[in-house]
Amino acid sequence: TIPGLTEISPVATLTVVPDTFPPVIVSTGALPKNGVHEVGILFDEALNATTAGTMGNYSISAGTINSATYLSKSEGVQLAVSGLSAGTAYTITVQNVSDTLGNAITSAMTSITPDDTKTWAQVGGLTDAAFQPAVLAIDEDGFDVYSGGNSFWGSADETTFVYEELTGDFDKSVRVEYQDSSSQWARAGLMVRENLNEGVATTDAAGANPASRFQHCHVNPEYFDNGTVPGGAANFSWETNRRIATGGATDSNGGGGTPEYPNAWCRISREGQVFRYYSSNDGVNWTELGQTNFETVASGDGTPMPDTLFFGPNFGPENGNVSGAGGTPSLWVAKFRDYGDTPEPGTDPNLTVTIDAGGGVVITWDTGVLVSSGTVDGAYAPVAGAASPYTPTVAPGSEMYFQVDT
């Protein structure tokens, strides 16, 4: 669909077949947390919750599976596994997990190699302890982040944060594929901060747990639909919030533009004490939204940021705004993909084409925009909503050519 454009197609035949196909494993990931590895398994469809959450339906070549949790908003399962080591490959076997129609996996195998460079934290305390956060790692650079945070503003930080520790200069980006329509000001994006403030309510500078300085670049949802106020207009833009003094207030220092989900990109770079932040709808062409120098910015601490900082994707649904609009607070999800170093323009996109078990063509790429044309020398245009991996639908007897623009 393209807003504002309607095209009448030629006569087509739609063939409908019964769904007799069991779920398929799409990808796996792992994050270390609280002495175990949280191993994520992403499936291609919704699962029967009972079979998905049955620990006995999973086995691993080494280590011990302690629990299995079905995260229905992700169509994924999180296994808490003890005894794993970073850099070691493990084989996971899945049996008897079924979809909502009862089609069950007889036996399927996948693998995981933890790298332990990233983990996650609940920054700040939780106003409502019923909304416990979680992160489903779907691969090395993709995360479904569940958060029930009440507020990420002023000196209050309640946000779920996937992070790594970075030393020195960096330039990293992430694609926000989706975020729940929780509130007008929900925040899904990238954050760099001085301290984690993990699990304890943040306060002002005189408090016991003063809120950390940070820089944030994020997107808001298109609308909010919290069960009571459906279809309300959200901010639907990029924002760049920050806290320039420890325990101080939060301000917004740039933003604008309309994110085009699932290709809403956020980017933050560091050069010495200068942090720059950018927006993009293709991960190739960037708009600089602003910059902060924590050493010189007015009303700041006047001290430089440490050489080593915490950095990564995070999500704050702003449940306080949900209740303020007469809605019902909840545990919400945002989906992050393609997290990593920002590619230089013209970087090899690592385009690959494979054939899946059903004979379908599967196109994958690391960076850039997938474009297509009906003729090899024709005018190529972006494929709407295409994200790696992508399976095109081409009418019998016709041709379609694809390439990736970087």
Side-chain angles (χ1 to χ4, degrees), residues 5-326:
L5 177 63
T6 299
E7 180 74 19
I8 305 301
S9 74
V11 174
T13 299
L14 175 64
T15 302
V16 181
V17 299
D19 181 359
T20 59
F21 309 102
V24 174
I25 297 172
V26 176
S27 61
T28 58
L31 290 173
K33 183 67 176 175
N34 296 328
V36 301
H37 280 86
E38 296 180 342
V39 176
I41 307 175
L42 182 68
F43 293 85
D44 69 337
E45 61 177 320
L47 305 177
N48 174 279
T50 299
T51 63
T54 299
M55 191 172 66
N57 288 341
Y58 309 89
S59 60
I60 191 166
S61 56
T64 301
I65 298 176
N66 303 307
S67 66
T69 304
Y70 177 44
L71 298 172
S72 61
K73 287 187 176 183
S74 300
E75 299 173 352
V77 173
Q78 185 183 84
L79 304 177
V81 185
S82 56
L84 304 187
S85 299
T88 301
Y90 301 91
T91 300
I92 300 169
T93 302
V94 181
Q95 297 176 300
N96 304 320
V97 172
S98 66
D99 61 18
T100 56
L101 297 177
N103 300 306
I105 297 173
T106 302
S107 182
M109 299 177 67
T110 186
S111 63
I112 185 66
T113 304
D115 69 7
D116 286 13
T117 58
K118 295 177 282 292
T119 184
W120 69 273
Q122 169 61 42
V123 176
L126 279 174
T127 297
D128 192 332
F131 304 137
Q132 289 299 313
V135 175
L136 182 75
I138 67 160
D139 54 31
E140 291 185 357
D141 56 15
F143 313 95
D144 288 2
V145 178
Y146 288 77
S147 182
N150 191 67
S151 177
F152 186 26
W153 188 252
S155 61
D157 289 351
E158 292 188 18
T159 185
T160 309
F161 184 31
V162 180
Y163 69 88
E164 58 184 327
E165 294 186 55
L166 298 181
T167 300
D169 293 349
F170 58 80
D171 187 342
K172 288 181 175 280
S173 54
V174 74
R175 177 170 62 88
V176 183
E177 182 176 84
Y178 167 85
Q179 65 171 308
D180 271 338
S181 51
S182 56
S183 77
Q184 179 180 359
W185 300 104
R187 300 160 168 83
L190 286 174
M191 176 168 62
V192 56
R193 63 186 293 123
E194 192 171 11
N195 298 301
L196 287 177
N197 300 115
E198 184 170 7
V200 182
T202 52
T203 60
D204 60 25
N209 188 45
S212 172
R213 294 187 293 175
F214 72 85
Q215 178 65 60
H216 202 244
C217 177
H218 62 266
V219 283
N220 313 121
E222 181 176 1
Y223 65 96
F224 63 90
D225 185 353
N226 53 41
T228 303
V229 189
N235 193 49
F236 195 29
S237 183
W238 275 271
E239 286 188 302
T240 57
N241 295 349
R242 65 184 180 180
R243 182 179 295 113
I244 57 177
T246 301
T250 307
D251 70 346
S252 185
N253 58 317
T258 302
E260 297 176 3
Y261 297 102
N263 292 304
W265 290 78
C266 299
R267 171 184 171 189
I268 298 179
S269 69
R270 177 181 187 171
E271 297 177 30
Q273 287 299 313
V274 178
F275 296 81
R276 293 183 173 88
Y277 16 95
Y278 306 80
S279 65
S280 173
N281 276 316
D282 58 17
V284 177
N285 301 288
W286 297 94
T287 298
E288 184 172 340
L289 300 174
Q291 59 180 269
T292 298
N293 186 325
F294 283 85
E295 196 170 19
T296 62
V297 64
S299 303
D301 287 351
T303 57
M305 275 290 204
D307 198 32
T308 299
L309 295 168
F310 301 102
F311 183 91
N314 81 298
F315 174 48
E318 299 295 282
N319 263 330
N321 288 319
V322 174
S323 59

